[in-house]
Amino acid sequence: MEALPSSLSNPTSSLQLLLFVDKRPSSTEKLRQILSRLRELGSAFQFGLQVIDVGERPDLVEHFKLVATPALVKIHPEPLHTLAGSDLIAQLNRTWTQWQQAAEDKGKTGAIAPTANTNGSVASPDSSIAHLSEVNQLSDEIFRLNQDKQALQEQLQFKERLIAMLAHDLRNPLTAVSIALETLEFALGRPSDRPSRLTPETTAQLLRHARTQAKALDRMITDALQAARGSTGKLQLQPQKLSISSLCHEVVSDLQNRFASKSQHITIDIPNDLPMVYVDPERIRQVITNLLDNACKYTPDQGMIAVSILHRTTQKIQVSICDNGPGIPDEDKELIFEDRFRLERDEAKDGYGIGLALCQRIVRAHFGRIWVDSSGQQGSCFHFTLPVYQ
Ligand code: ADP
């Protein structure tokens, strides 16, 4: 920083200026000319001046929104006025009388600048700069706090929606468990002269169904807790050798009532010689359930839904779940896999935009890929790959 000789730079004058300069050699001559002109002006009317290197005070450059150097800023009396650019001296000559007049008026009325000291004298550029730095720091802090507040509000809203979703989604499997248990209880509680008509196979099937649904409940609660904590946590997988074909049939059978309630037609096309896969069964059940659930939800009544599997390479199989619903616009084919993204068109339908994001996390955790094919009104085909058990 460079200052004018003390006889010219008067920290108590009611006209206070900041001169912003840079250290480029090409700027030296320009600075010399400006200082020389200021010296001339200062001999007739004293003012306070501080020369500031922009490299040292980027915060002030930002504060005054300076876009060029040199720049001369009148910080007192208010309002702020900035002169900048190669013709700064010409601008200064045009403006000077006005600045001087404003400073004299302020001096007469005894008005105190916002940066005035407690003793009533006008603040020097040094104290103004200290004040500005403080204001800058505070506004940075306010900006950060506002961002934090917004993030917290979003988190809170999301948690509220999750609770609403849980209350809604837990009901289906819970009802299924209750029905299975009540049926068993009723059959077992019948008097011995009127024995239960449940065959051992039906009893086993009811128990299996209740257990599967209870597991689904458990998984939904775990996912909700995980989603509430944020999607950054790593998924814990318990992979094992599994027949993907059986799993697909199980999930389709679990959702049969839902398809029936919309009179939708579901087909399954799985080759007999499909190899076993190496996956976490509950996680993959979740992926298939989510995709089938979406297919059912977004496809109109009497729609067609198809599950098929291909043995794509020696290492991978590909599961596809297709429907003839409204399809996905090209520009949204990747976005739908983002957390909390929903198509505007579907906002009236139940949902929170987390299903596909979760599917993607699960599939990726299995080193697979998930994507959607959709063209025009032909519906959507969601595909994902899984590793073959070697
Ligand atoms: P949700 O269904 O809860 O909104 P998802 O993450 O499962 O959340 O899906 C994100 C969005 O993708 C949905 O809101 C919907 O707009 C669209 N979508 C998903 N599956 C289908 C489908 N089979 N057909 C049409 N649109 C779909």
Side-chain angles (χ1 to χ4, degrees):
M1 284 191 208
E2 190 175 336
L4 278 185
S6 54
S7 59
L8 288 181
S9 182
N10 181 347
T12 58
S13 166
S14 49
L15 178 60
Q16 299 292 334
L17 309 175
L18 301 178
L19 177 60
F20 287 86
V21 297
D22 60 66
K23 283 216 172 104
R24 285 175 301 176
S26 57
S27 307
T28 315
E29 177 54 22
K30 192 92 220 154
L31 175 64
R32 200 192 54 73
Q33 289 170 6
I34 295 169
L35 287 176
S36 156
R37 180 62 187 134
L38 283 169
R39 253 185 224 107
E40 285 165 21
L41 293 168
S43 60
F45 182 81
Q46 290 205 343
F47 57 91
L49 177 83
Q50 188 161 339
V51 184
I52 296 169
D53 176 359
V54 289
E56 284 172 18
R57 296 305 302 265
D59 56 323
L60 293 179
V61 173
E62 169 71 21
H63 179 83
F64 291 112
K65 301 188 171 32
L66 301 179
V67 288
T69 48
L72 186 64
V73 183
K74 169 171 72 72
I75 55 169
H76 186 79
E78 286 189 317
L80 283 179
H81 189 173
T82 302
L83 309 177
S86 53
D87 65 340
L88 194 149
I89 295 179
Q91 294 177 50
L92 178 62
N93 289 339
R94 282 198 297 277
T95 321
W96 185 254
T97 327
Q98 207 185 314
W99 281 7
Q100 186 177 334
Q101 188 61 53
E104 281 170 353
D105 292 349
K106 262 299 189 239
K108 270 188 225 132
T109 58
I112 296 168
T115 54
N117 297 327
T118 43
N119 65 10
S121 66
V122 175
S124 68
D126 277 342
S127 67
S128 297
I129 288 173
H131 173 78
L132 283 175
S133 294
E134 212 174 314
V135 169
N136 279 344
Q137 272 175 13
L138 286 173
S139 52
D140 281 353
E141 189 73 357
I142 290 173
F143 180 72
R144 203 181 51 72
L145 287 171
N146 270 332
Q147 275 188 327
D148 287 354
K149 181 178 154 202
Q150 202 182 335
L152 284 172
Q153 275 172 340
E154 275 174 19
Q155 252 181 40
L156 208 64
Q157 272 178 7
F158 178 59
K159 286 186 181 176
E160 278 168 11
R161 293 205 316 255
L162 263 183
I163 291 172
M165 175 191 75
L166 264 188
H168 175 266
D169 291 0
L170 292 180
R171 199 159 286 143
N172 276 348
L174 204 56
T175 311
V177 175
S178 306
I179 291 176
L181 290 178
E182 277 164 23
T183 314
L184 288 167
E185 199 177 28
F186 180 70
L188 292 173
R190 287 174 72 92
S192 50
D193 56 326
R194 294 170 63 204
S196 148
R197 262 185 271 140
L198 287 187
T199 61
E201 292 76 44
T202 316
T203 308
Q205 198 185 354
L206 280 171
L207 282 172
R208 190 179 64 80
H209 191 57
R211 204 177 312 118
T212 312
Q213 296 298 321
K215 268 193 194 161
L217 281 170
D218 183 50
R219 202 43 83 106
M220 282 164 83
I221 293 167
T222 313
D223 288 340
L225 291 175
Q226 209 162 33
R229 261 186 246 121
S231 53
T232 46
K234 210 171 171 316
L235 278 180
Q236 293 298 323
L237 293 188
Q238 288 161 0
Q240 52 181 265
K241 187 177 168 189
L242 179 91
S243 154
I244 188 78
S245 167
S246 313
L247 185 64
C248 283
H249 279 99
E250 264 177 45
V251 178
V252 168
S253 129
D254 286 343
L255 293 174
Q256 202 67 58
N257 290 345
R258 294 211 41 210
F259 300 126
S261 72
K262 291 186 78 176
S263 310
Q264 288 166 334
H265 183 67
I266 177 136
T267 57
I268 304 183
D269 179 12
I270 302 179
N272 288 329
D273 58 348
L274 204 64
M276 301 288 263
V277 288
Y278 188 64
V279 300
D280 181 325
E282 288 315 309
R283 289 298 188 186
I284 298 305
R285 177 191 297 279
Q286 248 182 315
V287 174
I288 302 169
T289 307
N290 258 323
L291 295 179
L292 280 174
D293 197 63
N294 278 351
C296 174
K297 179 163 63 171
Y298 298 109
T299 305
D301 288 5
Q302 268 118 43
M304 310 281 282
I305 296 167
V307 181
S308 58
I309 306 189
L310 279 178
H311 186 182
R312 258 180 78 121
T313 66
T314 47
Q315 273 136 25
K316 287 205 182 301
I317 57 127
Q318 176 182 315
V319 182
S320 302
I321 293 175
C322 303
D323 62 58
N324 64 348
I328 310 282
D330 273 349
E331 62 276 19
D332 296 317
K333 281 182 181 160
E334 295 198 353
L335 288 174
I336 53 170
F337 292 98
E338 282 182 9
D339 207 16
R340 294 176 230 178
F341 181 88
R342 308 196 72 203
L343 292 183
E344 243 177 79
R345 145 196 108 186
D346 296 323
E347 261 160 18
K349 299 224 164 63
D350 281 345
Y352 298 90
I354 57 176
L356 288 178
L358 186 66
C359 289
Q360 186 178 57
R361 286 185 70 211
I362 296 175
V363 171
R364 284 187 174 168
H366 285 86
F367 306 104
R369 195 166 84 80
I370 182 165
W371 71 100
V372 64
D373 277 339
S374 176
S375 55
Q377 293 288 305
Q378 307 278 306
S380 335
C381 257
F382 285 84
H383 312 280
F384 64 94
T385 56
L386 290 177
V388 161
Y389 180 79
Q390 304 285 352

